[in-house]
Amino acid sequence: MEAELTALAAVGATAFVQQMAADSWAQARERIVSFFSRRGDEEGVIEGELEASRGELTLAMEAGDEQTASDVEAEWRTRLRRTLVANPGAAAELRQVLAELALSSDDRQVMTVHNSISGGVQHGTVVQAGTVGSLNFGTPPDQG
């Protein structure tokens, strides 16, 4: 059972750190604070710790400091593991939190585009896009 909780803590810590770097952080922070506050942590304290971690993570990412980013994740993995070991019933709520965070992350559309252009110089238009609805080249749109 402890191995399962440790694995869940690792997944949770990764999700938390990913959210710290995302635009949806405010919403994620509220949910994470709520999770910990139901386990006895004071909301203000946990908010402060999350914001401190986010600050460290932001600076680390800007500096390309992967070790500090890993350290931030390790801190939250340890904290989550301890919380889950002390209260195994919290695992169900953590899974729910992670599902909600995944849904908020899925609002973004991520695509991989791979272009190969061969045959020398291209004298026409080359468009790189995930999706193109409509294009007009050299012809004005209908004014009628």
Side-chain angles (χ1 to χ4, degrees):
M1 180 68 163
E2 189 166 331
E4 180 182 333
L5 297 178
T6 299
L8 180 58
V11 170
T14 299
F16 289 4
V17 170
Q18 287 173 347
Q19 288 295 315
M20 287 178 189
D23 292 337
S24 58
W25 171 239
Q27 178 185 356
R29 182 189 59 222
E30 287 178 27
R31 196 62 181 96
I32 295 165
V33 167
S34 177
F35 171 80
F36 282 108
S37 67
R38 278 197 276 287
R39 314 270 145 358
D41 290 318
E42 285 187 42
E43 284 186 22
V45 171
I46 195 70
E47 270 184 11
E49 291 172 352
L50 285 166
E51 287 304 320
S53 291
R54 184 174 191 230
E56 287 179 45
L57 181 65
T58 300
L59 291 174
M61 290 172 62
E62 289 172 357
D65 182 358
E66 292 180 24
Q67 183 59 52
T68 298
S70 293
D71 290 347
V72 169
E73 185 174 332
E75 288 175 31
W76 287 101
R77 181 175 51 248
T78 299
R79 182 156 191 166
L80 277 170
R81 186 184 58 76
R82 287 180 179 156
T83 299
L84 293 172
V85 167
N87 186 356
E93 184 183 353
L94 180 58
R95 285 186 187 96
Q96 182 179 359
V97 169
L98 295 175
E100 291 171 15
L101 295 179
L103 285 175
S104 69
S105 295
D106 288 342
D107 292 342
R108 300 170 295 172
Q109 183 178 12
V110 178
M111 301 180 106
T112 301
V113 177
H114 175 76
N115 288 326
S116 295
I117 300 175
S118 61
V121 177
Q122 301 297 314
H123 295 286
T125 303
V126 177
V127 177
Q128 176 178 334
T131 303
V132 176
S134 173
L135 293 174
N136 293 312
F137 295 109
T139 56
D142 288 326
Q143 300 293 325

